[in-house]
Amino acid sequence: LPRLEADLAAMERLGRSHYYYGVMTWRAWTPLSDEPNGACGARGDDGPTPAGPSRSLRKLMQQRKTKCSGAIGPFPFADGSLQALSADLLHALARSPITVNFSRAHLSRETEPFWTHEDAAVGYLLFHVAMQQGLPLTYVVLSSWRHNKFWINWLPPDHPSLPDEHVVNTHKVVTTMMAQIALDAYENTTYKADPIRCVDCTKAWGWACCHESPFGRAPIDKFACCNKDT
């Protein structure tokens, strides 16, 4: 928790609002889809970095012009290992008619297929609400494995996936022994709090396409695209 608190304090120093924080990757989503999981196009684990468009982002930007022409995005979404929303963003999400209708429609289903792609759907809803309300989303992206360990593994001995001085979170701690190992690792390292740096969304992230959709325009000029340093 102290490590997450340090990151929250760093985010506050950015002087922005509507924070969305976590380990992220890209998706596109078709609103009003007959399927519970409306994700359209490429799926991958390669999220936003300042090094330019990832493979998944490049594919999705191409697919938005073809088979995903009725979708919105691409947009980043935080996977289930760690995600945090600031209170202003959470309130905007929860109070939006889009969210209310989405929740009501899927909770009322009594037969399969059921909604299972919850992480991407949250990212979609945030993005769609931002489109409707012109919200200044602040994406804060962690690096997979450097800042977030998806699980604990002490093998191989020269490169174990244990928490170190860069790690904010450890996911999939499922036994008391694993919990104690993670706690010991946290307590025996000093958090370096890798800085959060914001870059140009279109130039550095390569998020240069497909801001227009049948459902409106993404206000990318209001967004902040930020990464923890690697």
Side-chain angles (χ1 to χ4, degrees):
L1 188 58
R3 297 184 178 203
L4 182 56
E5 289 175 341
D7 277 9
L8 294 176
M11 290 159 61
E12 185 176 22
R13 290 193 292 272
L14 296 176
R16 288 186 53 87
S17 64
H18 298 84
Y19 294 94
Y20 186 27
Y21 166 101
V23 180
M24 300 196 185
T25 186
W26 298 96
R27 288 289 188 277
W29 195 276
T30 305
L32 308 178
S33 171
D34 292 334
E35 295 294 324
N37 300 327
C40 183
R43 304 187 186 194
D45 296 326
D46 47 342
T49 77
S54 69
R55 182 170 177 268
S56 293
L57 177 57
R58 290 195 301 270
K59 280 189 172 181
L60 284 166
M61 289 192 295
Q62 293 172 353
Q63 291 167 339
R64 268 296 316 279
K65 300 172 184 177
T66 54
K67 69 176 185 178
C68 296
S69 60
I72 65 172
F75 53 82
F77 80 93
D79 74 23
S81 56
L82 175 65
Q83 54 182 297
L85 281 67
S86 58
D88 51 4
L89 181 55
L90 181 61
H91 291 160
L93 173 69
R95 293 167 179 166
S96 168
I98 289 178
T99 306
V100 173
N101 292 339
F102 187 94
S103 175
R104 182 183 296 118
H106 292 299
L107 287 175
S108 65
R109 282 181 178 264
E110 297 182 354
T111 59
E112 294 183 349
F114 297 117
W115 177 37
T116 57
H117 202 15
E118 67 277 8
D119 304 327
V122 169
Y124 148 66
L125 290 168
L126 289 172
F127 188 69
H128 201 160
V129 170
M131 289 171 57
Q132 286 197 326
Q133 300 183 20
L135 299 180
L137 291 183
T138 304
Y139 290 98
V140 180
V141 180
L142 279 61
S143 174
S144 299
W145 292 106
R146 179 178 175 91
H147 303 126
N148 179 77
K149 299 295 187 185
F150 292 97
W151 58 79
I152 288 178
N153 193 342
W154 41 90
L155 296 174
D158 61 338
H159 192 62
S161 61
L162 298 175
D164 61 19
E165 65 271 21
H166 302 286
V167 174
V168 180
N169 176 66
T170 303
H171 184 56
K172 206 174 182 180
V173 175
V174 296
T175 68
T176 55
M177 181 178 72
M178 292 171 68
Q180 188 61 54
I181 290 169
L183 178 61
D184 290 345
Y186 282 119
E187 291 183 340
N188 284 282
T189 56
T190 300
Y191 186 46
K192 286 194 173 180
D194 294 328
I196 297 170
R197 302 187 192 279
C198 300
V199 298
D200 186 286
C201 296
T202 58
K203 294 179 181 178
W205 277 14
W207 195 4
C209 165
C210 316
H211 309 311
E212 302 285 348
S213 80
F215 300 90
R217 185 182 188 279
I220 193 166
D221 52 310
K222 295 183 179 182
F223 293 172
C225 295
C226 313
N227 299 81
K228 278 180 67 67
D229 273 1
T230 58

